[in-house]
mmCIF file of all heavy atoms in Angstrom:
data_model
loop_
_atom_site.group_PDB
_atom_site.id
_atom_site.type_symbol
_atom_site.label_atom_id
_atom_site.label_comp_id
_atom_site.label_asym_id
_atom_site.label_seq_id
_atom_site.Cartn_x
_atom_site.Cartn_y
_atom_site.Cartn_z
ATOM 1 N N LEU B 176 -20.774 12.860 -16.202
ATOM 2 C CA LEU B 176 -20.348 13.519 -17.448
ATOM 3 C C LEU B 176 -20.646 15.046 -17.303
ATOM 4 O O LEU B 176 -19.841 15.833 -17.904
ATOM 5 C CB LEU B 176 -21.001 12.952 -18.763
ATOM 6 C CG LEU B 176 -20.388 13.392 -20.029
ATOM 7 C CD1 LEU B 176 -18.926 12.926 -20.123
ATOM 8 C CD2 LEU B 176 -21.152 12.957 -21.169
ATOM 9 N N THR B 177 -21.735 15.364 -16.657
ATOM 10 C CA THR B 177 -22.086 16.792 -16.585
ATOM 11 C C THR B 177 -20.924 17.551 -15.760
ATOM 12 O O THR B 177 -20.529 18.611 -16.259
ATOM 13 C CB THR B 177 -23.418 16.932 -15.785
ATOM 14 O OG1 THR B 177 -24.483 16.332 -16.605
ATOM 15 C CG2 THR B 177 -23.722 18.391 -15.686
ATOM 16 N N LEU B 179 -17.906 16.626 -15.108
ATOM 17 C CA LEU B 179 -16.552 16.578 -15.933
ATOM 18 C C LEU B 179 -16.565 17.631 -17.059
ATOM 19 O O LEU B 179 -15.583 18.406 -17.165
ATOM 20 C CB LEU B 179 -16.409 15.125 -16.572
ATOM 21 C CG LEU B 179 -15.207 15.086 -17.385
ATOM 22 C CD1 LEU B 179 -13.945 15.218 -16.618
ATOM 23 C CD2 LEU B 179 -15.184 13.653 -18.203
ATOM 24 N N SER B 180 -17.617 17.771 -17.813
ATOM 25 C CA SER B 180 -17.673 18.566 -18.891
ATOM 26 C C SER B 180 -17.629 20.011 -18.492
ATOM 27 O O SER B 180 -17.138 20.915 -19.122
ATOM 28 C CB SER B 180 -18.879 18.249 -19.920
ATOM 29 O OG SER B 180 -19.969 18.655 -19.307
ATOM 30 N N ARG B 181 -18.371 20.285 -17.407
ATOM 31 C CA ARG B 181 -18.450 21.675 -16.766
ATOM 32 C C ARG B 181 -17.004 22.096 -16.373
ATOM 33 O O ARG B 181 -16.550 23.171 -16.587
ATOM 34 C CB ARG B 181 -19.254 21.498 -15.441
ATOM 35 C CG ARG B 181 -20.535 22.393 -15.330
ATOM 36 C CD ARG B 181 -20.960 23.093 -16.529
ATOM 37 N NE ARG B 181 -21.235 24.358 -16.286
ATOM 38 C CZ ARG B 181 -22.240 25.177 -16.767
ATOM 39 N NH1 ARG B 181 -22.937 24.692 -17.578
ATOM 40 N NH2 ARG B 181 -22.388 26.379 -16.419
ATOM 41 N N ARG B 182 -16.439 21.120 -15.716
ATOM 42 C CA ARG B 182 -15.055 21.392 -15.148
ATOM 43 C C ARG B 182 -14.058 21.650 -16.142
ATOM 44 O O ARG B 182 -13.164 22.510 -16.136
ATOM 45 C CB ARG B 182 -14.548 20.323 -14.157
ATOM 46 C CG ARG B 182 -13.787 20.995 -13.206
ATOM 47 C CD ARG B 182 -13.900 20.345 -11.875
ATOM 48 N NE ARG B 182 -13.371 19.021 -11.806
ATOM 49 C CZ ARG B 182 -13.784 18.088 -11.167
ATOM 50 N NH1 ARG B 182 -14.845 18.134 -10.291
ATOM 51 N NH2 ARG B 182 -13.162 16.869 -11.108
ATOM 52 N N ALA B 183 -14.161 20.890 -17.336
ATOM 53 C CA ALA B 183 -13.160 20.936 -18.320
ATOM 54 C C ALA B 183 -13.593 22.066 -19.266
ATOM 55 O O ALA B 183 -12.891 22.295 -20.248
ATOM 56 C CB ALA B 183 -13.115 19.546 -19.089
ATOM 57 N N GLY B 184 -14.688 22.759 -19.085
ATOM 58 C CA GLY B 184 -15.080 23.746 -20.051
ATOM 59 C C GLY B 184 -15.502 23.192 -21.384
ATOM 60 O O GLY B 184 -15.335 23.946 -22.414
ATOM 61 N N LEU B 185 -15.856 21.925 -21.417
ATOM 62 C CA LEU B 185 -16.223 21.349 -22.730
ATOM 63 C C LEU B 185 -17.705 21.722 -23.049
ATOM 64 O O LEU B 185 -18.574 21.659 -22.275
ATOM 65 C CB LEU B 185 -16.150 19.901 -22.675
ATOM 66 C CG LEU B 185 -14.740 19.327 -22.376
ATOM 67 C CD1 LEU B 185 -14.743 17.770 -22.229
ATOM 68 C CD2 LEU B 185 -13.712 19.719 -23.451
ATOM 69 N N ALA B 186 -17.866 21.923 -24.345
ATOM 70 C CA ALA B 186 -19.308 22.165 -24.798
ATOM 71 C C ALA B 186 -19.653 20.862 -25.552
ATOM 72 O O ALA B 186 -19.355 20.759 -26.765
ATOM 73 C CB ALA B 186 -19.457 23.384 -25.663
ATOM 74 N N LEU B 187 -20.300 19.938 -24.863
ATOM 75 C CA LEU B 187 -20.706 18.698 -25.562
ATOM 76 C C LEU B 187 -22.001 18.889 -26.104
ATOM 77 O O LEU B 187 -22.825 19.766 -25.832
ATOM 78 C CB LEU B 187 -20.730 17.697 -24.535
ATOM 79 C CG LEU B 187 -19.278 17.226 -23.800
ATOM 80 C CD1 LEU B 187 -19.550 16.194 -22.857
ATOM 81 C CD2 LEU B 187 -18.398 16.746 -24.907
ATOM 82 N N ASP B 188 -22.418 17.970 -27.054
ATOM 83 C CA ASP B 188 -23.733 18.031 -27.696
ATOM 84 C C ASP B 188 -24.770 17.669 -26.819
ATOM 85 O O ASP B 188 -24.705 17.008 -25.931
ATOM 86 C CB ASP B 188 -23.831 17.136 -28.954
ATOM 87 C CG ASP B 188 -22.873 17.602 -30.033
ATOM 88 O OD1 ASP B 188 -22.438 18.720 -30.043
ATOM 89 O OD2 ASP B 188 -22.543 16.640 -30.945
ATOM 90 N N LEU B 191 -27.083 18.040 -21.676
ATOM 91 C CA LEU B 191 -26.492 17.360 -20.722
ATOM 92 C C LEU B 191 -26.798 18.004 -19.282
ATOM 93 O O LEU B 191 -26.675 19.252 -19.058
ATOM 94 C CB LEU B 191 -25.052 17.409 -20.926
ATOM 95 C CG LEU B 191 -24.086 16.402 -20.298
ATOM 96 C CD1 LEU B 191 -24.474 15.073 -20.531
ATOM 97 C CD2 LEU B 191 -22.652 16.724 -20.602
ATOM 98 N N GLY B 254 -20.785 11.984 -25.790
ATOM 99 C CA GLY B 254 -19.705 12.704 -24.958
ATOM 100 C C GLY B 254 -18.726 11.802 -24.413
ATOM 101 O O GLY B 254 -17.514 11.959 -24.363
ATOM 102 N N VAL B 257 -16.398 10.810 -27.248
ATOM 103 C CA VAL B 257 -15.278 11.745 -27.555
ATOM 104 C C VAL B 257 -14.235 11.677 -26.513
ATOM 105 O O VAL B 257 -12.996 11.789 -26.791
ATOM 106 C CB VAL B 257 -16.001 13.166 -27.481
ATOM 107 C CG1 VAL B 257 -15.024 14.366 -27.589
ATOM 108 C CG2 VAL B 257 -16.949 13.282 -28.675
ATOM 109 N N LEU B 258 -14.565 11.516 -25.215
ATOM 110 C CA LEU B 258 -13.612 11.686 -24.143
ATOM 111 C C LEU B 258 -12.920 10.312 -23.829
ATOM 112 O O LEU B 258 -12.079 10.207 -22.771
ATOM 113 C CB LEU B 258 -14.321 12.178 -22.985
ATOM 114 C CG LEU B 258 -14.867 13.681 -23.100
ATOM 115 C CD1 LEU B 258 -15.799 14.002 -21.970
ATOM 116 C CD2 LEU B 258 -13.708 14.645 -23.092
#
Side-chain angles (χ1 to χ4, degrees):
Chain B
L176 192 66
T177 300
L179 173 70
S180 66
R181 234 20 222 213
R182 206 144 75 209
L185 299 176
L187 296 175
D188 290 343
L191 196 60
V257 169
L258 297 166

